[in-house]
């Protein structure tokens, strides 16, 4: 009879090991699932926060560039004031590196006939053709253009360019 009890004990021990093993696997899967869900939720919340901050910042920049364009279009700022105007505009934001106003003029020395006024008093070299620039073409075609992110040659930082089509008063 002892032989039969050994078989029952052995079988019970095997069944208990199987139950414990399966319970451990199921527990590990559930814990992993909960951890993944929590981390996914945290990531989604962070992304949502970053997206709202980006939306706010882009909204401010679009309003900013629209204000600059309106100042030029309204005639409130004329060509004798463009350098002072772009300098004043670039001072408004720490993360704006430059403001340009590009105007077709009869006395332009550049082959595309466009005079470029840039904050900081930068004057383009004689071979500068602003009308070949992606941001210039984009503004002409779309009215408001926002570039894809790129690395700025001067600062080495990732940046974007916003440009706005402006109709200067005659």
């Amino acid at each position: 009879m002892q032989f039969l009890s050994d078989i029952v004990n052995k079988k019970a021990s095997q069944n208990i090991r199987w139950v414990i093993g399966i319970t451990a696997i199921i527990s590990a899967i559930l814990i992993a699932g909960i951890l993944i869900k929590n981390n996914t939720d945290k990531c989604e919340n962070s992304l949502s926060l970053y997206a709202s901050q980006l939306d706010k910042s882009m909204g401010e920049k679009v309003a900013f560039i629209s204000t600059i364009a309106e100042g030029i279009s309204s005639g409130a700022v004329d060509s004798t004031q463009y350098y002072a105007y772009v300098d004043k505009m670039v001072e408004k934001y720490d993360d704006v590196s430059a403001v340009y106003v590009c105007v077709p003029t009869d006395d332009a020395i550049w082959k595309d006939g466009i005079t470029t006024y840039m904050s900081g008093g930068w004057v383009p070299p004689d071979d500068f053709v602003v009308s070949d620039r992606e941001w210039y073409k984009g503004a002409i075609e779309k009215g408001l253009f926002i570039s894809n992110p790129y690395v700025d040659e001067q600062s080495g930082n990732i940046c974007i360019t916003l440009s706005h089509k402006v109709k200067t008063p005659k």
Side-chain angles (χ1 to χ4, degrees), residues 1-9:
M1 275 294 172
Q2 191 171 6
F3 180 73
L4 182 59
S5 74
D6 287 344
I7 293 173
V8 170
N9 283 340

Side-chain angles (χ1 to χ4, degrees), residues 46-61:
S46 292
L47 287 173
S48 179
L49 177 62
Y50 292 142
S52 67
Q53 290 172 341
L54 184 59
D55 284 345
K56 180 181 177 195
S57 180
M58 286 304 297
E60 290 173 357
K61 298 306 183 287

Side-chain angles (χ1 to χ4, degrees), residues 6-140:
D6 287 344
I7 293 173
V8 170
N9 283 340
K10 188 175 181 183
K11 195 67 164 165
S13 292
Q14 285 177 338
N15 286 342
I16 290 171
R17 280 195 296 269
W18 271 101
V19 169
I20 291 172
I22 290 171
T23 303
I25 290 171
I26 291 172
S27 296
I29 291 170
L30 287 174
I31 290 169
I34 290 168
L35 291 173
I36 290 169
K37 172 78 169 107
N38 286 342
N39 285 334
T40 300
D41 289 348
K42 285 179 184 177
C43 288
E44 286 176 356
N45 289 338
S46 292
L47 287 173
S48 179
L49 177 62
Y50 292 142
S52 67
Q53 290 172 341
L54 184 59
D55 284 345
K56 180 181 177 195
S57 180
M58 286 304 297
E60 290 173 357
K61 298 306 183 287
V62 168
F64 173 66
I65 191 106
S66 298
T67 299
I68 294 170
E70 183 57 35
I72 302 296
S73 296
S74 70
V77 180
D78 65 30
S79 62
T80 63
Q81 301 166 317
Y82 286 161
Y83 279 115
Y85 184 64
V86 294
D87 283 341
K88 182 178 176 185
M89 291 294 111
V90 82
E91 289 173 4
K92 292 186 179 276
Y93 288 97
D94 290 336
D95 58 350
V96 172
S97 62
V99 174
Y100 294 75
V101 172
C102 304
V103 182
T105 57
D106 293 335
D107 61 346
I109 61 170
W110 298 274
K111 68 181 181 179
D112 59 1
I114 299 171
T115 300
T116 299
Y117 303 86
M118 182 184 144
S119 55
W122 179 77
V123 177
D126 291 348
D127 62 347
F128 185 76
V129 181
V130 73
S131 59
D132 286 344
R133 303 288 173 137
E134 178 187 9
W135 54 264
Y136 185 91
K137 292 176 188 177
I140 296 299

